[in-house]
Amino acid sequence: MDLDSIEEDFVAVDVQPEEPQADAQPAIPLRPSLITALSELIATFDEKYPVIPPASDLHPFSPTPPDTDILESILRVTPMITASVASVAQANIHPRFILRTKEYTNHADTWLKNQIKVGSLFRQLPKRKQNYAADLPLEPALVPAWLLDEVMSLLTSIGMDMFKEDGADGRVKFLGGGKILVVDIEFLLTPVSSSNAEGSASTTASGLQLLSIKTTRGSESSASSTGEERSPLDTLLYSALSSFLKEAQGPSPDCLRLQQLADSFKEHAKSLMLLDGLANAESSLGTGDRWFKETDDEAKIVLDLASRESQALASSLGSSSAPLDILIHRGHGYPLPYLTSPFLTFLVGLPPRIYLSMLKAQSAPSSTSSQQNSLDIPPSILREYVFNNRSSCTLATLKLSSTTDTPNSINHLATLLPPTFTLLSDQTDFTALLSDDFSATLPESTHGIPQEHLNRVFPTVAEPAPESDPLQLNPPVKGYVLDFGGEGVVMRREAMHRLSGGLDLGMDIDGGLGSMDGGFGNFGSPGWVDLLVDSKAILHSTRYVSHVKATGSNPAIQHLLSPPTDPGFVLGSIRVGRMSDVWRVLEIVKEQAWLNETLRSFQWRIDSTTAKDEGKAAEAAKLLSDEEELEALIQGSNVPTSIPVQISVRGTTINYTVPLPLPDSPLLMFSVSFDPTAPKGVRVDFDIAAAFLESQTSSIEKISQVVLEWKVGMEEVVRRGGASILAGWVWRKVQERFQVI
């Protein structure tokens, strides 16, 4: 093999003629050079991943799932590297070859970097999310006209055909839509008086008010809807657009927030145009209307189910209304149609502080909302508080999205593990599904829930393959996913395995992630508790500490948490094929949501071992130096400066080890866990046997006789978000019962 052929194989210089001759034959496409392929691969990786993604995001359900195109590019480059190395290995390396290769590499590297950098910029500019402030006029008199133009521009930019009509009495109408969808918006220009800087004269300007917004389909009536007549979809659009107008015409508008409100209204309109395009594609078949009816049809069924579950809960508690927080624990995600988008949203997790705020608002004199669905929170207050605190609540939205994953459950008659409805006590027998008969399906009666509801398959439609890859093996499809928001939900490994094993997802959950521990190995990544404490954690911490200030009845509490080593994952969205999949996913996520919220009630920080040891040594020296303190310590009547409470987590159970204020300093061990069958949705259990083995004291015999009396009270404390003060509650109860210290 001569030098030139080796050099060609290794370098393969891309030489393109400047201008092809008219009579020239079509040129054979040259192979990309090795340095070109490697440079493009590195540039693509740097473009998509400016920062190395954390291990918690390297799974198919992440808010930012890994890009498999990068892996395909690596597989394409690998044979080129192998062939080049093999070619060089078969020949004697000539010095001239090395010099020419170095010279070419230097020139090619400089040229390729500049070319790739420019190409990357051009590709990124259209994709970059705009973070600009709205260009609001400084002159208030110009704001109404600007708002009308801005709304018109927003709607036309997403493909709507809009027409403006100026009516009498300052009314302005926008009429338009897509192929099937019709949108009718009516504004009112109202005069607003304002004083000049000196206050001696006044001028009259115009203010813009939103009167109504109405969405219709096809030949439906397009009469304006106001007040009580608004449909849930129209209410969502009205709220988004009126918030935009109110912010723009406020006394001190925030232009950044104004742009966010405009983007929010635009996203709602884009979702409607997506449904419009899908409906138009099936208009000739007469089935296009199903895309608009999907959310409404499902909302009727799930709202009826929520009503039945709340009535059953109220009956079991002997109350006229069901507490919302207990209903979320013992039932399923509470449905809130059209809360944040034109789709169906479920409330899966509710922080206790937000629930208490709802109770205070509901008990206010101005609150006249009627009780519906046997809930203790009126629907209007519920929707308002959840929407305003949506970043703190755990929400799941059943929405349309592009995906390449088609679940196998669509092709089957049953979900692998059927959902359970503990509040609806119908003794449905599922043992047939545990047999070896693979033809077994769900029983006909499932807690009174229509079987067609659980087995109803969500519609899907195939999208055209991208022009860059017309022969793509898995072309994208429009299907339904459960989306948990931009930040997602922190999940432990066990819950992720239940998600992948409980549903027939039709995908290799371990694909691309290795086979270690079922694809959910730690790989040195932070645990799920680390992600709860710090979403940007990169290392696993061995212990966390949380302090609670002293009160009049108990000393300060020092909680010491030894977090589990289970890796953490962030659940962003998951593909669902039928309604039974939705219920099954929500059952798993609500457990994790309760666990996350309970641990977040503590103010955790990384434990400093050095400071801890120095503090203990100083406290011990102080006690031994004072005779009275030493005598109190010997007699067991010494009041400690803080109560050290050991906490550990296993599954959905939080274990406590609390020292008690008794002369022989016994340890009380108890656990708090999520239990949808318990009256309050949580359960407190005492480990008296372990306490006997640990302490070997007579005080435990006294404690074991009264702890069961505290069980209900402790469960109520946990339900109200008091997991961080539970040890202090036990300390006070022991003081009151045994009259010590």
Side-chain angles (χ1 to χ4, degrees):
M1 181 177 293
D2 59 357
L3 180 61
D4 292 335
S5 62
I6 296 175
E7 194 172 320
E8 252 181 56
D9 233 359
F10 187 78
V11 180
V13 182
D14 296 332
V15 180
Q16 298 292 342
E18 295 183 359
E19 294 184 3
Q21 302 295 328
D23 56 348
Q25 297 294 328
I28 299 176
L30 298 177
R31 291 177 300 167
S33 65
L34 182 59
I35 189 173
T36 302
L38 287 174
S39 299
E40 291 178 350
L41 178 61
I42 295 173
T44 303
F45 186 87
D46 292 341
E47 178 182 328
K48 294 188 176 182
Y49 299 106
V51 179
I52 300 298
S56 58
D57 286 345
L58 297 179
H59 61 92
F61 307 144
S62 168
T64 56
D67 192 347
T68 57
D69 293 341
I70 297 291
L71 299 178
E72 294 177 358
S73 301
I74 294 176
L75 293 177
R76 285 195 296 265
V77 174
T78 302
M80 297 178 59
I81 299 176
T82 304
S84 299
V85 173
S87 299
V88 174
Q90 295 175 5
N92 296 324
I93 303 300
H94 194 279
R96 186 165 62 93
F97 170 80
I98 298 176
L99 291 176
R100 292 183 62 180
T101 302
K102 286 183 177 180
E103 181 181 356
Y104 166 78
T105 302
N106 292 333
H107 289 289
D109 184 60
T110 303
W111 181 80
L112 285 171
K113 283 182 178 179
N114 293 332
Q115 183 189 44
I116 292 173
K117 182 178 180 180
V118 174
S120 175
L121 288 175
F122 275 97
R123 288 191 299 270
Q124 286 297 314
L125 284 176
K127 300 178 183 178
R128 182 169 297 179
K129 184 178 180 181
Q130 296 183 359
N131 193 24
Y132 306 122
D135 190 15
L136 185 69
L138 298 178
E139 180 61 41
L142 302 178
V143 171
W146 178 85
L147 286 173
L148 291 174
D149 293 340
E150 188 70 10
V151 173
M152 177 69 75
S153 176
L154 287 176
L155 296 178
T156 54
S157 65
I158 60 174
M160 283 191 181
D161 298 323
M162 300 301 298
F163 303 94
K164 179 182 177 182
E165 177 184 347
D166 295 325
D169 302 328
R171 294 176 181 265
V172 180
K173 288 187 177 182
F174 283 179
L175 182 62
K179 302 296 183 180
I180 306 295
L181 180 69
V182 178
V183 179
D184 186 357
I185 309 176
E186 186 173 6
F187 301 95
L188 176 63
L189 288 169
T190 57
V192 178
S193 298
S194 60
S195 300
N196 60 11
E198 298 179 358
S200 58
S202 62
T203 58
T204 301
S206 296
L208 188 64
Q209 177 185 355
L210 178 62
L211 291 182
S212 65
I213 184 168
K214 176 73 174 180
T215 57
T216 54
R217 302 185 299 272
S219 59
E220 293 181 0
S221 172
S222 60
S224 297
S225 62
T226 58
E228 300 293 337
E229 302 175 2
R230 291 194 196 103
S231 66
L233 174 58
D234 294 344
T235 302
L236 171 70
L237 298 176
Y238 182 90
S239 176
L241 185 53
S242 60
S243 298
F244 173 65
L245 300 182
K246 182 178 180 181
E247 180 68 28
Q249 301 175 102
S252 56
D254 184 349
C255 291
L256 284 175
R257 172 169 168 75
L258 184 62
Q259 186 62 47
Q260 294 173 357
L261 294 174
D263 293 340
S264 176
F265 176 72
K266 183 178 179 180
E267 287 299 318
H268 297 337
K270 284 178 65 176
S271 299
L272 293 179
M273 287 302 293
L274 169 63
L275 297 175
D276 179 80
L278 296 174
N280 182 59
E282 298 182 4
S283 59
S284 59
L285 303 177
T287 59
D289 209 34
R290 64 172 179 158
W291 295 101
F292 288 102
K293 293 182 177 181
E294 184 70 28
T295 300
D296 292 332
D297 292 344
E298 291 298 337
K300 292 178 182 178
I301 299 177
V302 297
L303 285 172
D304 177 70
L305 173 62
S307 176
R308 293 176 51 204
E309 286 189 326
S310 61
Q311 292 173 7
L313 177 60
S315 176
S316 65
L317 297 177
S319 173
S320 59
S321 60
L324 176 63
D325 59 337
I326 299 180
L327 177 63
I328 293 176
H329 293 162
R330 298 189 59 187
H332 289 75
Y334 192 83
L336 298 169
Y338 302 105
L339 178 69
T340 59
S341 66
F343 297 103
L344 181 59
T345 299
F346 295 90
L347 177 60
V348 186
L350 181 66
R353 60 179 180 82
I354 298 179
Y355 173 65
L356 293 177
S357 299
M358 293 182 189
L359 290 177
K360 292 180 181 179
Q362 183 250 350
S363 60
S366 59
S367 178
T368 57
S369 301
S370 60
Q371 300 280 344
Q372 296 183 13
N373 297 332
S374 300
L375 276 182
D376 60 343
I377 304 296
S380 59
I381 295 179
L382 172 60
R383 295 182 67 92
E384 176 186 356
Y385 273 76
V386 172
F387 181 81
N388 294 334
N389 299 276
R390 54 191 181 276
S391 60
S392 301
C393 300
T394 304
L395 301 175
T397 302
L398 183 63
K399 60 187 291 187
L400 270 175
S401 179
S402 294
T403 176
T404 57
D405 302 321
T406 305
N408 284 345
S409 58
I410 292 179
N411 303 321
H412 295 297
L413 297 178
T415 314
L416 290 182
L417 294 176
T420 57
F421 300 87
T422 55
L423 284 175
L424 306 179
S425 56
D426 173 37
Q427 302 299 323
T428 305
D429 185 13
F430 293 108
T431 56
L433 295 177
L434 303 179
S435 65
D436 296 332
D437 183 9
F438 294 100
S439 62
T441 60
L442 284 173
E444 291 298 327
S445 174
T446 309
H447 304 288
I449 300 171
Q451 190 69 31
E452 57 272 15
H453 166 66
L454 294 177
N455 290 337
R456 185 169 183 271
V457 177
F458 296 131
T460 58
V461 61
E463 294 183 324
E467 296 181 359
S468 59
D469 190 5
L471 301 179
Q472 188 174 2
L473 295 179
N474 295 320
V477 297
K478 287 288 186 186
Y480 277 86
V481 300
L482 266 179
D483 184 82
F484 294 91
E487 297 182 358
V489 180
V490 175
M491 303 286 287
R492 66 193 191 282
R493 177 177 52 191
E494 177 192 355
M496 293 297 289
H497 276 305
R498 290 174 61 194
L499 281 177
S500 60
L503 303 177
D504 192 1
L505 298 173
M507 65 176 71
D508 182 10
I509 193 67
D510 299 330
L513 297 180
S515 58
M516 182 181 294
D517 198 12
F520 289 114
N522 198 332
F523 300 107
S525 61
W528 65 271
V529 174
D530 301 304
L531 293 178
L532 274 181
V533 177
D534 182 7
S535 60
K536 298 181 180 179
I538 58 176
L539 296 175
H540 174 69
S541 299
T542 57
R543 187 155 72 169
Y544 289 97
V545 62
S546 173
H547 295 278
V548 178
K549 294 182 179 180
T551 64
S553 55
N554 63 267
I557 304 174
Q558 183 186 46
H559 298 97
L560 300 173
L561 170 64
S562 299
T565 58
D566 291 351
F569 303 90
V570 180
L571 175 62
S573 63
I574 184 170
R575 183 78 163 82
V576 289
R578 60 181 70 242
M579 201 62 205
S580 56
D581 295 346
V582 174
W583 295 129
R584 186 61 181 160
V585 171
L586 295 183
E587 287 177 355
I588 297 172
V589 174
K590 72 176 182 180
E591 298 178 1
Q592 186 69 51
W594 173 85
L595 186 60
N596 293 352
E597 189 58 41
T598 302
L599 290 176
R600 283 195 181 107
S601 63
F602 298 83
Q603 301 298 322
W604 298 112
R605 60 177 177 83
I606 298 177
D607 187 18
S608 176
T609 306
T610 303
K612 172 175 66 68
D613 293 341
E614 292 178 355
K616 284 186 175 181
E619 182 179 355
K622 179 181 178 182
L623 290 176
L624 295 176
S625 62
D626 192 324
E627 294 184 0
E628 294 183 0
E629 294 286 350
L630 181 60
E631 183 66 22
L633 182 65
I634 296 174
Q635 297 296 329
S637 59
N638 174 64
V639 179
T641 57
S642 64
I643 308 172
V645 178
Q646 301 290 336
I647 294 181
S648 62
V649 182
R650 177 174 295 180
T652 57
T653 301
I654 304 175
N655 301 302
Y656 289 73
T657 301
V658 183
L660 300 180
L662 295 175
D664 46 0
S665 301
L667 298 176
L668 178 62
M669 301 179 185
F670 60 90
S671 63
V672 177
S673 59
F674 178 88
D675 185 2
T677 62
K680 299 182 184 299
V682 295
R683 187 180 72 249
V684 173
D685 292 317
F686 296 91
D687 196 349
I688 301 299
F692 269 116
L693 295 176
E694 183 72 20
S695 301
Q696 298 290 338
T697 62
S698 59
S699 298
I700 292 297
E701 297 181 4
K702 302 177 182 178
I703 296 296
S704 62
Q705 299 173 4
V706 297
V707 290
L708 295 182
E709 301 176 6
W710 304 341
K711 180 180 174 67
V712 176
M714 295 174 69
E715 290 177 350
E716 182 66 18
V717 171
V718 175
R719 174 205 168 193
R720 299 294 184 178
S724 60
I725 63 172
L726 197 57
W729 189 92
V730 172
W731 181 281
R732 291 194 300 271
K733 285 296 181 181
V734 172
Q735 285 183 322
E736 295 171 0
R737 185 61 179 260
F738 297 99
Q739 301 295 320
V740 294
I741 307 184

